[in-house]
Amino acid sequence: MPVAAISPEVITRYEPVIGLEVHVQLLTETKVFCSCANRFGAEPNTNVCPVCLGLPGALPVTNRKAVEFAAMAALALNCQVRERSIFARKNYFYPDLPKGYQISQFDKPLAENGWIDVPAAGGAIKRIGITRLHMEEDAGKSLHEGFSDSATRSYLDLNRCGTPLAEIVSEPDIRTPDEAFEYLTRLKEILLYAGVSDCNMEEGSLRCDANVSIRPRGQKNFGSKVEVKNVNSFKFIRAALEYEIERQIEVVESGGRIVQETRLWNANEGRTYSMRSKEQAHDYRYFPEPDLPPLVLSPGLIEEFRKKLPELPEARRARMIAQYDLSLQDAHTLTASRLFADRFEAAAKTARNPRRVANLLLSEVGGRLKALGLEPEQSPVSMAGIVQAADLLDQDKISSRQLKQLLDVCFEKGEDFALVYEREKPQQITDAAAIEKLVDEAIAANPKQVEQYRAGKKTMAGFFVGQVMRTSKGQANPALLNELVTKKLEG
Ligand code: ADP
Ligand code: ZN
Ligand code: MG
């Protein structure tokens, strides 16, 4: 169906409603109900045992660490963790599910009623509800390509059977594809900070199904939803939602009706295809898992899990904005990864002026990295190097002009700051008489600016400092220079 026929005006008459179901693999050493290694990329069918293969008589035992990680994820997402939750069997047949059922949770999930705050239009904050977070096991993988006989055969890799998952279901609170993108970005960031998943979409450790419907603006009831599967990046989720919203509007506008169905995203074609309708939907015949007792967590244990959480991104940004005098955007840059933020803060703590470390990292070093298309980890200048540079600036041992020149050399040669500084040892003029002479020259050459200064434009002092830094090739001692400029202009 071509999605070009409807005008933007028609589109604005409808309101999209979106809810996301996200599966994340938990970073445990072993699987959720057996002691097989939980590791991506192993030789097919090597991390398997009677339990995760579902052989008769084998019994599951719940992995304590998987519970801990799922509960930590739930707490980080502001959910209430149940003291008593129930594992349930979700019954279906598929070749990659040898047991014929998946152990999941149904009517008493591990956690409920959470939320994520996302930035919305106009600087506002929008709270997206989280209906539930439950534990379940992953299925195996069918391999349909990559073999010489893939045209006629499929292969099974059951290593993934029994990998611990947390499924996180949002309320239908999301209203635009951009909000969906923001929700996923925040969710991933929180889970990475909590350290419970690597959230690697390429390796399938984070997967997202998007539910979407439309309704005429002002209508209270939701329309029938379509579930879009098979989307493997956040950008594609946004694109799939954009496509699907327009498709649904077009169906309705041309007199049709949206049927509840599951559709698959095709990234190459940038469109969705119907996979199965509601009539073909599974009846999973959920019932309590007879081989596992209820999962009981005492309030004390839940508190212990909460204490294991680090400072989460939102709170950390708020603190760092105040502590280092950052813009929100700079705070996002510094907290993009927990490891990076930790390294920055550990280094900044040792500096005379931590704010200056933040500033150098973001502006001088960040700017050079960006210009070269490098990631922070690829920087030739270490955090210790930035601290050293900041301290030198702070003590007026180098001028900012000299710092720029030193950093240029660092990036040119791929060398750290300490090395370059030792070798180049920038000259500094500390002779007051010599600096005074340069200041006098600058003042004599720029009468207009002197007039402006004396008329009250005190920021003009910076102009003269700049002039002398230029004539002294950045070698004038900054403290002396500042002092002399003010003295001469005032005098
Ligand atoms: P199902 O029974 O099909 O699994 P659920 O009610 O459990 O449906 O909801 C699954 C997901 O779909 C949730 O994220 C929820 O927010 C979302 N959702 C439910 N109804 C709608 C709707 N009408 N439009 C868009 N999303 C919806
Ligand atoms: Zn196993
Ligand atoms: Mg459901």
Side-chain angles (χ1 to χ4, degrees):
M1 186 157 326
V3 187
I6 33 172
S7 72
E9 192 277 318
V10 171
I11 291 177
T12 58
R13 278 191 248 142
Y14 290 90
E15 180 179 52
V17 172
I18 299 164
L20 301 175
E21 295 168 287
V22 173
H23 286 89
V24 286
Q25 292 181 343
L26 301 173
L27 270 180
T28 53
E29 294 285 320
T30 55
K31 294 185 181 180
V32 60
F33 299 120
C34 65
S35 54
C36 290
N38 173 27
R39 193 154 47 83
F40 180 84
E43 191 64 20
N45 300 309
T46 51
N47 293 330
V48 290
C49 76
V51 174
C52 54
L53 291 175
L55 300 187
L59 290 173
V61 177
T62 307
N63 179 343
R64 199 188 154 88
K65 201 73 188 173
V67 174
E68 177 179 316
F69 281 178
M72 283 171 67
L75 293 167
L77 297 169
N78 308 297
C79 293
Q80 285 151 0
V81 174
R82 259 178 204 282
E83 289 174 32
R84 185 186 164 92
S85 67
I86 304 290
F87 287 109
R89 280 193 189 179
K90 178 179 180 178
N91 300 278
Y92 65 93
F93 169 79
Y94 204 76
D96 64 18
L97 187 76
K99 285 212 296 246
Y101 62 88
Q102 179 188 20
I103 302 180
S104 179
Q105 294 190 305
F106 188 54
D107 58 0
K108 291 214 167 39
L110 179 73
E112 290 159 299
N113 299 324
W115 76 82
I116 296 180
D117 284 338
V118 303
I125 297 284
K126 176 162 174 182
R127 182 157 290 185
I128 310 291
I130 291 174
T131 316
R132 55 190 272 145
L133 179 149
H134 68 248
M135 295 182 66
E136 60 184 30
E137 58 179 339
D138 212 341
K141 242 190 284 191
S142 301
L143 308 171
H144 303 296
E145 46 197 70
F147 297 91
S148 57
D149 53 357
S150 282
T152 53
R153 266 171 213 269
S154 287
Y155 288 81
L156 285 172
D157 177 4
L158 300 179
N159 281 345
R160 204 175 67 178
C161 284
T163 293
L165 295 177
E167 178 172 345
I168 300 152
V169 182
S170 88
E171 287 288 298
D173 287 346
I174 300 166
R175 291 291 172 270
T176 66
D178 281 336
E179 275 177 25
F181 185 88
E182 287 295 337
Y183 170 88
L184 290 168
T185 305
R186 296 283 178 254
L187 174 63
K188 176 175 169 178
E189 187 183 53
I190 292 166
L191 295 172
L192 284 174
Y193 264 65
V196 298
S197 174
D198 63 19
C199 297
N200 185 334
M201 268 191 121
E202 279 108 68
E203 295 183 356
S205 47
L206 187 153
R207 310 193 285 273
C208 176
D209 301 333
N211 299 271
V212 53
S213 62
I214 53 158
R215 60 181 172 185
R217 277 189 197 279
Q219 177 182 303
K220 198 158 178 298
N221 291 341
F222 289 153
S224 294
K225 74 176 161 76
V226 162
E227 183 178 13
V228 185
K229 287 183 174 289
N230 202 30
V231 199
N232 61 8
S233 79
F234 292 173
K235 284 197 179 124
F236 282 153
I237 296 267
R238 181 162 57 192
L241 286 168
E242 275 161 5
Y243 172 88
E244 189 57 27
I245 289 161
E246 292 205 11
R247 185 193 69 80
Q248 292 184 17
I249 292 172
E250 192 170 83
V251 169
V252 171
E253 281 290 311
S254 53
R257 199 172 61 84
I258 301 299
V259 287
Q260 187 167 333
E261 62 177 345
T262 301
R263 298 178 70 90
L264 291 184
W265 167 249
N266 182 315
N268 292 329
E269 297 174 28
R271 54 161 293 177
T272 62
Y273 284 94
S274 181
M275 182 174 106
R276 61 168 180 256
S277 72
K278 183 72 179 172
E279 288 69 45
Q280 299 154 272
H282 294 116
D283 173 3
Y284 293 116
R285 212 167 50 90
Y286 279 99
F287 60 83
E289 167 61 56
D291 291 340
L292 287 169
L295 179 63
V296 177
L297 307 174
S298 69
L301 186 58
I302 295 171
E303 271 325 293
E304 246 175 65
F305 293 155
R306 194 191 298 278
K307 285 205 197 94
K308 291 192 176 181
L309 286 173
E311 184 180 29
L312 294 169
E314 198 70 43
R316 187 166 198 174
R317 278 193 285 273
R319 175 180 59 76
M320 285 175 61
I321 284 172
Q323 191 171 338
Y324 305 103
D325 198 17
L326 304 172
S327 68
L328 179 61
Q329 195 189 328
D330 286 345
H332 271 285
T333 306
L334 289 184
T335 56
S337 99
R338 180 178 150 197
L339 188 70
F340 184 69
D342 286 349
R343 283 178 46 222
F344 158 69
E345 291 213 270
K349 220 166 44 189
T350 67
R352 301 165 63 96
N353 180 352
R355 288 182 181 197
R356 207 194 271 278
V357 177
N359 185 271
L360 284 185
L361 176 58
L362 288 160
S363 60
E364 295 301 336
V365 175
R368 283 171 174 78
L369 288 172
K370 201 167 161 203
L372 294 168
L374 296 177
E375 295 298 319
E377 309 81 67
Q378 296 171 293
S379 174
V381 179
S382 65
M383 285 291 180
I386 296 173
V387 170
Q388 184 186 10
D391 283 351
L392 288 167
L393 278 178
D394 218 55
Q395 296 166 283
D396 286 316
K397 289 189 178 159
I398 56 172
S399 65
S400 51
R401 194 185 167 97
Q402 288 172 326
L403 171 76
K404 285 180 208 282
Q405 289 163 350
L406 291 169
L407 288 177
D408 283 342
V409 176
C410 291
F411 276 82
E412 225 165 79
K413 305 212 161 150
E415 293 172 345
D416 203 351
F417 185 80
L419 189 71
V420 173
Y421 177 71
E422 268 319 301
R423 190 176 59 226
E424 317 258 317
K425 266 288 159 53
Q427 297 281 319
Q428 193 171 67
I429 307 171
T430 49
D431 173 8
I435 297 176
E436 194 171 351
K437 187 163 160 277
L438 294 174
V439 174
D440 284 340
E441 281 168 17
I443 285 177
N446 299 283
K448 235 217 219 102
Q449 282 81 355
V450 174
E451 216 171 283
Q452 287 175 349
Y453 179 90
R454 292 188 175 144
K457 197 172 172 197
K458 299 292 178 198
T459 51
M460 261 306 150
F463 167 80
F464 289 98
V465 170
Q467 289 297 306
V468 175
M469 274 302 178
R470 208 149 55 98
T471 49
S472 73
K473 300 196 175 65
Q475 293 179 1
N477 175 279
L480 265 175
L481 173 59
N482 277 309
E483 194 187 307
L484 285 166
V485 162
T486 313
K487 196 173 115 197
K488 292 274 166 177
L489 285 172
E490 293 291 339

